[in-house]
Amino acid sequence: MSFSPGTLVTLRDRDWVVLPSEDPDLLVVKPLGGSEDEITGVYLPLNFPEDQPVSAEFPTPAKEDLGDISSARLLYDSVRLSFRNGAGPFRCLAKLSFRPRSYQMVPLVMALRQETVRLLIADDVGVGKTIEALLIVKELLERRKIKRFAVVCLPHLCEQWQSEIKEKIGLEAVIIRTNTQARLDREIQGDVSVYDYYPYQIISIDYIKGDSRRQVFIEQCPEMVIVDEAHTCACPVGASIHQQQRHFLVNKIASKPDQHLIMLTATPHSGKNEEFLSLLGLLKPEFETMDLPSASPSERKDLARYFVQRQRSHVEKWMNEDTPFPERDPGEFNYRLSRNYASFFDQVLSFAQKLVSGEAQAGKGKGKTHYWTALALLRGVMSSPAAGIEMLKNRMQKLFKGEEDWNEEDNPVHDLDYGFETDVTPGQLFQKTEWSQYQLQQLREFTKQLEGLANPDDDQKLAYTALIIEEWIEHQFNPVIFCRYIATAKYIGEHLEPLLKKKFPKMNIQVITSEDPDEVRKQRISQMEPFRQRVLIATDCLSEGINLQEYFTAVLHYDLPWNPNRLEQREGRVDRFGQLAKTVKAYLLYGENNPIDGIILDVLLRKVREIKKSIGINVPFPEDSKSIIDTITQALLLNPDRKIQIKKSTDQLEFNFDEFSEASEQKLNVTRKIDEAAEREKATRSIFAQNAIKPNEIEADLKEMSEAIGDPKAVEEFVFLTLNNILGVQMDEYQKGYRVYTANLPYVLKSTLPDKEMVLVSFDSPTPENYLYLGRNHLFVEHLCMLLMANSLNRSPQRASRSAVIRSKEVAVKTTLLLFRVRNVIEARKKTSQIIAEEMLVWGYRGIAAQKDFLTIDEASCLMKTVRPTSNMTPESRANFLENELKQLPTLKQDFDQLAEGRSKKLVEAHERFSKVMGHGHFQVVYPVLPMDILGMYILLPDLG
C-alpha cells in the first residue's frame, strides 16, 4: 500500500494529508487543516486495523453550507494563514513568527548562491544580523540541506539566542556550557555526545574552546555553525591565549569540507589589519593574504560572494520599504571637579609621575609596567571614589601578601578586545611594581581621602549625573548608564537611587555587572518592564549582543571608553531596529578639568563622532590603545609640572588642554590613523553593500509569497473580523493597537493569551510597549484559523460560509466564484528531496459552466474582495441556484486540472527565475496533487432592480 505525497487519506476517523517519507514503510501524515505539531507517523507493517489508511476526497460545498458571502474572505484567509509550506522559492517565510524586512533577505540570497554556505555578515549594529542568520538556517532546514545547527556565542548571550530561536523560528535549542552539560548528558540514552545528540545547540565559546572539549565538538559539530560576535575569534600576531583558543576552534571548524559557516559581527575590522584578515581567511584561506586596498576587481568580486557589510543608509529604503531607525542625538555633558577632588587628583598625579620617573625605573626593567600601573591608578580614581578605593585596597593587600600578579601578555589599561572585557575590577589592573614604605603610606592616605570624597558635594561627576538623569526622566527618556568598573556601577546605584527617588518615588533602578549570573541579568531587566520610569546602571558586560531597545531610550557614558568601538557597541544596545522612540540620546560625560577625560575626548572620541555624523560610518580604532597611552603619558606623566591650576582672580579650577604641545605629535598620529581608517571603511562599505543583488530580482517572488501566505495586514483584518463578527468576542482599537476582551473566547484561544480579562495586542513590528505581537504564526492566530476552518466544515453556527448565492450590481451576468486549495509537490531536479507546498486560488466563470467563459485569477480575487449583496433572496431560491450549479461541476473537471497544472507551471517559472538569480543551472520540479479541494462556491447574480 502506498500513497503519493500530497494525497488525502482517512485515518482514525480524520482526514490527513500524506507527507514525504524517507522510509516506504513509514506513512507520515498531517491532519487536514492541522498544525505542524500534529504530524504523525504510522508504521504500516504493523497492520493494525485502525491504522489502515483509505483514500479520501475533500467534501464539496452543499446547500447546508449556505451563508453570508462577507465571511467567504475569512474562510480564504483562515486557510492561507494556516499554511506552513509556501509554494514560492523562499520556503521558510510561511514558518516564521516574524516578517523579515526586504533587505534582510539579501544574506539569504547570498547563502542560496553557494553550495557550501560561508558568510561574514557585518551589517551595522541594530540592523538585524541575528534575524538574517536565522532566515538562512530556517531556509536550509526547509530545503533539507541541513538537519542540525549550532550557535557558538559569548557566554552571556546564550539565553538571548535560545529565546530568539524559539520566538523567531519555533525551534527548541539546548544551551551547552558548564552548568548544563551534566544535566544534558543524563538525558541522553546510549553512548553519544551532546554535540551529536541534540539537533539545535547554543554553545558558550569559552566552554567549548578548551583542549578537553574542543576536538570532540570539531568532529561532531552540526553541518551548520553560526559564530556570533565573530571579531572575538580573530587572531592577530601576538594574540592572547584566549584569542588563540577561540580562533583555533573556529579555524578548525572552517577547515572541514562541506561545513556551513556563518559569522556575525558589527565590527569586523577592529583597526588591526591582521585581525580582519584572519576572519576573512575563515571564509576562504586565500582571503587571509588579500590586500583590500590594492585588490583587483575580480578579487573583490570573489570576496563579495561571502562578505556583506551595510550601513543603515543602505537599508532604510531598500525595495521602497520604510525601515524606521531612531534618530540618534549625540552630545556631551561636562562637569567640573570640585576643589577637594581636584586637589586629590594633583596628589595622585604627582605620585603617578614619580612612578614613571627615571629614578623609579632605574635598573628595574619594568618601564612598561610602571606606565600601565600609573595610568591604571589615574583611570580608576577618576572613575569614582569607590573604584579608586577598591583598587588601592586590593593593591596593598597583594603587596602585603607578597603576591605577583603581573602578566606580560596583558596590558591592564586597554579597553580589551570584545568578548574578553565584560567589566573590570580595579584590583585586576593595578599591577605589581616595586614599592617603598613611603609609597605604601601614600596609598593608605589616598584611600582615606577617597572615602571622604564619596558624596555628591565632593563628587561632582555623581551630582551632575543625578541632574542629567532627572531631566531625562522628566522628558520621558529611560537611560542606561555605562561605566567601566564594577565598583563604580555599585557606587552610582547606591548614591543615585535616593537622590532620584525623592522626585520619582516609583522609579525602578537596577545595577547589573558581571558578578550577576546571565539568568539573573535577564530577569532583572525583564522585571523593569512594568515601571514607566526606569534607570539601568551597567558595566560593559551589557555592551555587546544584549538588546535593550524595548525598555530604554538613552545612553550616558559615565566612564569614557578608550576605544570608539566600545562607544558604538554601548549605544547600539538602544539605538537599533525595534526601538519605538523617534529619538535616542547618546551622551558623553566628561570632566571639564579632568585631564584624562579631556585628552580622550579631544584626541579620539570627538573625531570619531564627527566622522559618524558626516559619512554615517563607525570608525574602528585604528591601532590599539598604545597610541592613546602614549598621548596621555606624554601629556601627563612625563610632564612633572602639569597640575590642575587655580585661577586666583576667579578662584576657579582650570586645565588648559591646548598647552599640551608635548602631545601634539601623538595627537596628530592618532588623528591621521583615524582618517585613514575612515577612508578604508568608506571604500569597504561601498564595495560590500551587496548592490549587485537588485531588488527587482526578488521583488516579484516576495510579493507573490505575501499574497499566498498573508501579510501582517491580512492577519490583522482576519483576527478582527473573525473575533467580532463570527465568535462574538469584543475587540476594539485602542491607542497603538487593539484591546481583546477574553471573557467570551473559546478555551483553545484563551489558553494562548496572558491570563487577563483584557489583553493589548498589536500586528505591527516593532511592537509597541506593553502590547502582545500577533503574527501569522502566533499560536493564537494558528488556533483561530483552525477553529474557523473546523467550524465551517462541521457547519457550526460560528462559521464562515462555504457557499453563498447573492444578487449584486457588480456583475452583469451570473458569475460563479470557486475557492480552491491546491497542494503541490516540489522536488529538486535530482529528486533528492520533496516537500508539500500549499496555496489558495480564487477562480471562476461567467454564465453557465458549458460556456467556459473563465475569469482570471486576478479578476476572481478582486470580486471576492469587493462584491456586496444588494437585494434579498429567499432560502429556497438560494438553495436551488446552488444545487443547479453543483450539478455542472463534473463537466469542469478537466478545466480544474488544467488550472492546477497551469499554476504548477507558473511555480516552475518562479523557481527557474530564482535559480538564475542564485546562479544555479538546475531548477525545481512542481506538480499538483489532483483533484484540488473545493473549499467554497459563491454564485453572484445580477441585481434585477
Side-chain angles (χ1 to χ4, degrees), residues 352-362 637-638:
Q353 288 170 339
K354 291 176 182 177
L355 280 181
V356 299
S357 68
E359 180 182 351
Q361 297 181 37
L637 298 180
L638 298 184

Side-chain angles (χ1 to χ4, degrees), residues 106-107 110 119-123 132 265 268 303-310 688-690:
V106 169
M110 294 174 63
L119 283 182
L120 175 56
I121 303 176
D123 291 341
E132 291 168 346
T265 174
L303 178 56
R305 294 174 54 221
Y306 305 92
F307 180 38
V308 55
Q309 185 177 30
R310 295 172 293 178
F688 300 109
Q690 292 302 328

Side-chain angles (χ1 to χ4, degrees), residues 789-800:
M789 184 64 185
N791 286 355
S792 301
L793 291 175
N794 297 330
R795 294 164 180 161
S796 164
Q798 295 179 316
R799 73 178 192 271

Side-chain angles (χ1 to χ4, degrees), residues 335-339 341 453 455-467 491 558 589:
Y335 65 94
R336 297 186 64 80
L337 293 174
S338 67
R339 178 178 297 277
Y341 220 122
L453 295 173
N455 62 81
D457 292 331
D458 288 313
D459 186 359
Q460 288 296 298
K461 185 179 183 182
L462 173 68
Y464 197 56
T465 296
L467 295 176
Y491 168 81
Y558 194 84
L589 178 64

Side-chain angles (χ1 to χ4, degrees), residues 147-150 172-174 194-201 222:
K147 294 182 179 179
R148 304 184 304 140
F149 70 90
E172 299 282 355
V174 298
V194 292
Y195 316 117
D196 200 31
Y197 182 79
Y198 293 100
Y200 317 127
Q201 309 162 16

